[in-house]
C-alpha cells in the first residue's frame, strides 16, 4: 500500500510538472540564451524525449539511487538530501528523546498521584504546554538561552557549524534549542495520552496480581501498567 501510494504521488508530480507552463531550459539559459544553448540544455535534461521515456529514465535512476541533478544548484540531489539529512535526522531523534523524557515521567506521575489538585495541575500543564505553537516556544527559548540576545547566553540560536559533526559538541549545541521547541509541545501531548492509558491499566487485574506478588503500587504501575500501555503510546509518539 505504501509503495502504491509513492508510485501514485510520483506520477502525479511528474505529470503536473510537465503540464505547468514554461521551459526549464529557458529559465536556466536566461534572457540572453541562444537557440543552440536552449537545445543543448533541453537535451541534457531529457526534454527532447517523450514523457513516457522521461518517466522511465527517472524511475530507473530512482531504483539505482540516482535522484538526478538540481536545476537550481547544478549539484546531485542525493548529495543535497544527505547533507540536510545529517542535520534533520539527529534533530528528530533529539526532539523525540526530549518529548519522551517529558511526557512519560509526568504522565506516569499524574496517573500515580491520588491528590485531586495535583492531578489537576498536571492536566492543566499538559494542556497549556501543548497549546503553545513551536514558534512561540522557540522565541521564548531564544530570549532566555540564546547567545547574544538571551538572558543567559548559553546556546546558539541559528546556524550549524561548518565542520558539521566533526565538531560534535558544537553540532549538538546548535540542535538543542530547536529540539526543545518541538520536543516540549510533543512531550505535553505524550503526557496527555500517557496519563489515561497508564491510569486505565493501573486498575487492571495484571496490576492487582503484581501487587499480590509483593510489588508496591508505584512499582506495579511503572513495571506492569506502563508495559501494557506501551502499544498505544508508541502509536501516539509516532503521530506526534
Amino acid at each position: 500500500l505504501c509503495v502504491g501510494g509513492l508510485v501514485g504521488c510520483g506520477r502525479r508530480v511528474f505529470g503536473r510538472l510537465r503540464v505547468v507552463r514554461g521551459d526549464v531550459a529557458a529559465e536556466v539559459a536566461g534572457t540572453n540564451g541562444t537557440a543552440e544553448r536552449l537545445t543543448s540544455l533541453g537535451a541534457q535534461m531529457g526534454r527532447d524525449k517523450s514523457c513516457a521515456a522521461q518517466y522511465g529514465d527517472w524511475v530507473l535512476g530512482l531504483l539505482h539511487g540516482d535522484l538526478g541533478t538540481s536545476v537550481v544548484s547544478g549539484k546531485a540531489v542525493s548529495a543535497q538530501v544527505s547533507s540536510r539529512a545529517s542535520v534533520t535526522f539527529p534533530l528528530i531523534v533529539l526532539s523525540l528523546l526530549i518529548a519522551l523524557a517529558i511526557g512519560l515521567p509526568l504522565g506516569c506521575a499524574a496517573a500515580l498521584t491520588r491528590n485531586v489538585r495535583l492531578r489537576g495541575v498536571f492536566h492543566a500543564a499538559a494542556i497549556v504546554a501543548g497549546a503553545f505553537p513551536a514558534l512561540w516556544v522557540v522565541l521564548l527559548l531564544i530570549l532566555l538561552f540564546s547567545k547574544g540576545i538571551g538572558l543567559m547566553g548559553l546556546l546558539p540560536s541559528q546556524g550549524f557549524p561548518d565542520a558539521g559533526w566533526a565538531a560534535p559538541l558544537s553540532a549538538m549545541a546548535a540542535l538543542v534549542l530547536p529540539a526543545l521547541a518541538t520536543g516540549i509541545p510533543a512531550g505535553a501531548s505524550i503526557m496527555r495520552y500517557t496519563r489515561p492509558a497508564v491510569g486505565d491499566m493501573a486498575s487492571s487485574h495484571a496490576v492487582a496480581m503484581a501487587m499480590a506478588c509483593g510489588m508496591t503500587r508505584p512499582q506495579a504501575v511503572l513495571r506492569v501498567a506502563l508495559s501494557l500501555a506501551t502499544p498505544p503510546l508508541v502509536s501516539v509518539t509516532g503521530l506526534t
Side-chain angles (χ1 to χ4, degrees):
L1 183 62
C2 181
V3 174
L6 291 175
V7 171
C9 290
R11 288 181 177 178
R12 289 189 182 94
V13 172
F14 188 88
R16 291 179 181 179
L17 287 176
R18 295 304 178 275
V19 173
V20 173
R21 294 182 179 179
D23 188 359
V24 179
E27 294 293 333
V28 175
T31 56
N32 297 324
T34 61
E36 292 78 8
R37 173 64 174 167
L38 292 176
T39 303
S40 176
L41 287 174
Q44 292 178 11
M45 298 176 183
R47 304 285 290 183
D48 56 340
K49 301 179 181 179
S50 64
C51 290
Q54 294 179 42
Y55 183 75
D57 292 341
W58 178 72
V59 172
L60 184 62
L62 185 64
L63 294 176
H64 288 83
D66 181 12
L67 302 180
T69 304
S70 173
V71 177
V72 178
S73 63
K75 299 179 181 179
V77 174
S78 57
Q80 294 184 358
V81 170
S82 62
S83 65
R84 270 62 171 186
S86 64
V87 180
T88 301
F89 285 123
L91 176 60
I92 293 173
V93 173
L94 184 58
S95 62
L96 179 60
L97 292 177
I98 292 173
L100 292 175
I102 294 173
L104 290 181
L106 294 180
C108 291
L112 282 170
T113 184
R114 295 182 178 179
N115 189 318
V116 178
R117 292 183 179 179
L118 186 57
R119 186 174 297 178
V121 170
F122 280 121
H123 184 64
I127 293 177
V128 172
F132 276 98
L135 178 60
W136 287 18
V137 176
V138 76
L139 288 176
L140 293 175
L141 293 174
I142 289 173
L143 293 176
L144 288 175
F145 301 110
S146 67
K147 293 181 179 179
I149 62 174
L151 295 177
M152 300 182 183
L154 299 176
L155 299 168
S157 60
Q158 59 183 353
F160 195 75
D162 295 333
W165 289 102
L169 294 179
S170 299
M172 186 61 67
L175 297 180
V176 171
L177 284 182
L180 286 173
T182 55
I184 291 175
S189 178
I190 293 174
M191 176 185 171
R192 287 171 52 208
Y193 284 98
T194 300
R195 183 182 62 82
V198 174
D200 292 341
M201 294 300 174
S203 59
S204 64
H205 295 292
V207 173
M209 183 64 68
M211 294 176 65
C213 293
M215 288 187 182
T216 63
R217 184 174 181 272
Q219 289 176 340
V221 169
L222 294 178
R223 294 182 183 181
V224 179
L226 183 59
S227 299
L228 295 175
T230 297
L233 292 180
V234 170
S235 302
V236 171
T237 303
L239 292 175
T240 55

